[in-house]
Amino acid sequence: MDDIDTLARTLWGEARNQGMDGMAAVANVITNRVDIDLHNDGKPDWWGEGFREVCQKPWQFSCWNGNDPNRARLLAVTASDPQFSDALVIAAGAICGKLRDRTGGATHYFAPKVVKPPA
């Protein structure tokens, strides 16, 4: 898997039910993690280095977890799936630096329909 494919699968796995805007926001979060250098030292940070490593960092994006019930679907999805096709376009834009950051530099997100944040 290359960076575009890995990022697209992550977007599809995490936000396919959120439409283009939701998948783009997740791509922004991932891009922000890739771009940030927390200690300004040029060394790999906690989130990892590069799109593939950030996407597949254990326990960061549940779609890559071995126990995720949709993991097999994530690995098998193809561009014939319209949502994955959209995810591929978003991923290519993010990796080429052409995706506008709509998150204000966010490095985290949550889906309120899935998890309620602590009060």
Side-chain angles (χ1 to χ4, degrees):
M1 267 184 260
D2 64 11
D3 283 347
I4 292 173
D5 186 71
T6 301
L7 178 56
R9 288 177 191 282
T10 306
L11 303 179
W12 184 87
E14 294 290 318
R16 67 184 171 275
N17 64 342
Q18 303 293 314
M20 295 282 283
D21 287 339
M23 287 192 290
V26 173
N28 291 149
V29 166
I30 293 167
T31 301
N32 292 337
R33 290 182 183 189
V34 169
D35 289 346
I36 199 167
D37 187 349
L38 293 175
H39 303 291
N40 201 24
D41 58 6
K43 295 178 183 174
D45 291 313
W46 187 84
W47 291 305
E49 288 290 312
F51 283 92
R52 284 180 51 210
E53 196 172 310
V54 168
C55 287
Q56 295 180 337
K57 179 83 174 180
W59 305 106
Q60 295 304 300
F61 297 99
S62 62
C63 63
W64 290 106
N65 293 346
N67 64 347
D68 189 289
N70 289 306
R71 178 123 191 247
R73 289 182 62 208
L74 171 82
L75 296 174
V77 69
T78 67
S80 65
D81 178 295
Q83 293 156 322
F84 186 62
S85 182
D86 289 344
L88 285 165
V89 171
I90 294 166
I95 289 172
C96 292
K98 298 189 186 278
L99 183 66
R100 174 182 60 85
D101 185 358
R102 62 200 70 215
T103 69
T107 56
H108 295 77
Y109 71 92
F110 76 98
K113 292 179 182 177
V114 177
V115 177
K116 279 190 148 185

